[in-house]
Amino acid sequence: MIIAVVDGMGGGIGSQIISLLRQDLPPDVKIYALGTNSAATTSMMKEKANRGATGENAIVTTVKKVDVIVGSLGIVIPNAMMGEITEKIASAIVESRAKKILIPIVDCEDIVLLGIEKRPLFLSIKEAIEKIKSEFQ
């Protein structure tokens, strides 16, 4: 199984996801760190992702080849993350056959998510990890 973790900005959310995946999943699971910028990719690689790639083309190409894509909800919204999520990135993720596990965080001021309870980010990340683990059963 190959899991792609997509993040931008400083890669903080992606780093937390990869760290927890490494703790909870078998070592033969491959984790790819896909950053919209080099800082995000570098941050995620420090958590022992198997491979890392940066930028629009790398993300668009790689999400076609993975089984699971994990990240914040913003990765499927064009221009999210202060413009780092391009239309091509968002489309490629949505159109990928991979299962998408999205954490309900959007950093766009003009998008409001209703029906989502406010809770610590860590709990949402843990829930995402549990969902990924259930894919192995």
Side-chain angles (χ1 to χ4, degrees), residues 1-6 17 21 25 29-34 62-71 75 93 96-102 128-129 131-136:
M1 174 174 281
I2 301 172
I3 300 169
V5 180
V6 181
I17 292 169
L21 286 172
L25 295 178
V29 173
K30 293 181 180 163
I31 301 173
Y32 293 175
L34 301 178
T62 305
V63 296
K64 297 174 187 174
K65 304 171 186 175
V66 301
D67 302 299
V68 178
I69 300 169
V70 188
I75 66 173
I93 291 170
S96 170
R97 292 180 185 232
K99 174 168 276 238
K100 290 98 177 151
I101 299 176
L102 303 174
I129 302 306
K131 182 64 180 166
I132 293 167
K133 285 170 49 177
S134 74
E135 294 296 310
F136 289 98

Side-chain angles (χ1 to χ4, degrees), residues 31-89:
I31 301 173
Y32 293 175
L34 301 178
T36 59
N37 61 64
S38 60
T41 305
T42 300
S43 178
M44 291 188 285
M45 288 301 295
K46 288 179 183 175
E47 298 302 329
K48 299 188 175 50
N50 296 89
R51 299 181 78 187
T54 302
E56 179 183 80
N57 195 59
I59 295 170
V60 168
T61 302
T62 305
V63 296
K64 297 174 187 174
K65 304 171 186 175
V66 301
D67 302 299
V68 178
I69 300 169
V70 188
S72 70
L73 180 61
I75 66 173
V76 296
I77 300 174
N79 302 314
M81 295 185 194
M82 297 180 70
E84 291 186 23
I85 301 298
T86 66
E87 289 181 21
K88 286 183 180 180
I89 290 172

